[in-house]
Amino acid sequence: MAHTSNAQKGGAALLALVLAGAAMSGCARPTAAANAPAVNVAAVNGTPVSQGGNAPPVSTTVPFVGCAQDGQTGPKMAPSGSPKTVVLDPNVAGQLAYYASSYVGVLGPKGWYCFGTYGSSGWSLFLSPSPIRASDVEAERWNAGAGPALEVAVSSGDTSGRFNVAQAIVRAFPSHMAFARQVASDSGGPTPNFAVGPFPADQMTAKSDTVVEYTTAPNAQGLGTTFSLLTASAAPIDGVAILQGPTPDLYVLAARLPNRSLINAIMPRFEADTAATPAPSADAAPAPAAAQQSAPTPVATPVSNASSPLGVVQAFYAALGQGDGATASRLVIPQKRAGNFSAAALSSYYGRMSQPLQLLGARQTGPGTVAVRYSFVAAGGHACDGAANVQTVEAGGQTLIAGISALSGC
């Protein structure tokens, strides 16, 4: 499954910041601790870095490297792909390759190793100059994380990954505090103290309300160590944090590179790829015909109006109960039909249940919002008595599911 970040471990602590009405005092836009000017990541902490001659960028190709992965539904082979066309400074193009799992891709130093993880909370992609095993990055600490390394970590705002999303918001995205408050309100529980606002040792540049570039200083804690498995050491961590989509999801790039000038090529491409409408991944291929055939629904009350928010949500959970990921995925907005909400991922997870999901109740609680209760026993024997708030939107003349906030952790 996807690794547990430091932010996830402190998920309960998030509740304090919003239930107590915490606000990011004086932080209309993230900045460095001393209100420093925008950071040039090529010359941070007083260390000049070569810009590769400042040659004008050109369109070129870099090798594609598929990355094996492991997670919630078992190991997956590395995807195959063609060389990636990118626009780069020609002085650095020969030093880079494009690494990709089934869920996410990123430019990285050529000749490195890669490995991906995935699970209900999100997915990650790890790059290192040394081989990477599943056990290396599924542990609480990545031994290679103190040295040269790169990680892309994606947290889903629809699932338990929402705690990561909310904690990133209170650190770097003050205009999105409403989502953090909603996460805390839905979760309940104690309200211990939790720091709000930028990490003191981080230098941050807000490019927009949803994109924040950062540098976590050497031997310090910050965005780079909290939302990845990279750990504090004598070298800084460069990266970017991005909120994507209406829910939203959190994308964090954290990199400690021997040649820091490469981050100037890696980061803009990652930002552009993340801002683009997500394309269906290799996992999002239509399910076999047999899986698309109608089957008796486990929902006691038949769906009478599948165009209404209530009807769409009932149809979605009925499809999950049948293990029919193809139908369920079609009821989700197109931007979400990849990763955890792809047809193949939904079919694989819900089709292998020891006891299929059953929808126990559904009622509309607001415009486009439906509260649901359900139960299932997962393939590993874990029993879930779950509840969630499901948000729907009108898209292309259809009512579709835009986000799901699980209230019970399953």
Side-chain angles (χ1 to χ4, degrees):
M1 62 180 61
H3 73 80
T4 301
S5 71
N6 293 327
Q8 283 177 296
K9 296 171 197 171
L14 161 69
L15 305 176
L17 66 166
V18 287
L19 292 180
M24 300 182 77
S25 175
C27 189
R29 195 57 81 86
T31 62
N35 295 319
V39 177
N40 176 358
V41 296
V44 295
N45 302 316
T47 304
V49 178
S50 168
Q51 296 301 299
N54 295 319
V58 297
S59 179
T60 186
T61 59
V62 296
F64 177 93
V65 181
C67 306
Q69 56 231 283
D70 197 4
Q72 186 168 315
T73 58
K76 295 178 182 290
M77 295 182 63
S80 58
S82 303
K84 188 81 168 179
T85 300
V86 291
V87 177
L88 292 173
D89 179 337
N91 292 288
V92 302
Q95 303 175 53
L96 295 169
Y98 187 81
Y99 298 84
S101 69
S102 298
Y103 301 99
V104 67
V106 66
L107 288 173
K110 184 184 291 186
W112 278 23
Y113 296 87
C114 63
F115 190 82
T117 61
Y118 67 97
S120 59
S121 62
W123 48 94
S124 293
L125 180 61
F126 300 87
L127 277 62
S128 169
S130 302
I132 308 170
R133 300 170 301 178
S135 59
D136 295 332
V137 293
E138 290 174 354
E140 292 187 0
R141 180 183 177 89
W142 182 23
N143 289 334
L150 184 152
E151 179 184 348
V152 173
V154 184
S155 300
S156 171
D158 292 319
T159 66
S160 58
R162 68 192 184 280
F163 293 104
N164 262 11
V165 179
Q167 290 195 62
I169 284 172
V170 304
R171 286 295 191 180
F173 302 102
S175 63
H176 292 263
M177 282 293 289
F179 179 85
R181 294 190 182 97
Q182 185 62 50
V183 170
S185 176
D186 290 344
S187 301
T191 57
N193 292 328
F194 188 84
V196 179
F199 287 94
D202 273 356
Q203 293 181 309
M204 297 167 56
T205 301
K207 298 188 68 177
S208 72
D209 288 340
T210 58
V211 179
V212 173
E213 296 179 353
Y214 69 88
T215 294
T216 295
N219 300 311
Q221 300 300 316
L223 292 175
T225 58
T226 301
F227 298 96
S228 79
L229 285 187
L230 273 65
T231 54
S233 72
I237 298 171
D238 300 310
V240 61
I242 303 171
L243 296 180
Q244 198 273 347
T247 306
D249 297 331
L250 171 68
Y251 287 69
V252 175
L253 167 67
R256 182 186 287 116
L257 304 179
N259 179 358
R260 291 184 67 201
S261 66
L262 294 183
I263 196 67
N264 296 322
I266 292 170
M267 200 151 58
R269 178 70 198 196
F270 180 74
E271 293 173 10
D273 287 347
T274 304
T277 301
S281 69
D283 283 345
Q292 300 184 34
Q293 295 174 356
S294 61
T297 174
V299 180
T301 304
V303 176
S304 58
N305 183 6
S307 64
S308 69
L310 182 60
V312 167
V313 171
Q314 287 177 317
F316 174 79
Y317 282 95
L320 294 184
Q322 301 167 24
D324 182 1
T327 296
S329 187
R330 286 197 295 269
L331 295 172
V332 177
I333 58 174
Q335 297 95 316
K336 294 283 186 180
R337 293 174 191 167
N340 292 334
F341 287 96
S342 71
L346 292 173
S347 294
S348 177
Y349 183 70
Y350 289 96
R352 300 189 307 121
M353 295 284 177
S354 296
Q355 293 183 15
L357 181 145
Q358 288 194 324
L359 184 63
L360 304 177
R363 61 187 179 89
Q364 189 161 344
T365 57
T369 303
V370 178
V372 298
R373 288 183 55 247
Y374 50 86
S375 66
F376 61 79
V377 178
H382 172 68
C384 171
D385 183 10
N389 288 328
V390 184
Q391 185 64 47
T392 65
V393 295
E394 295 295 322
Q398 294 180 285
T399 301
L400 297 172
I401 293 171
I404 302 175
S405 295
L407 307 181
S408 57
C410 64

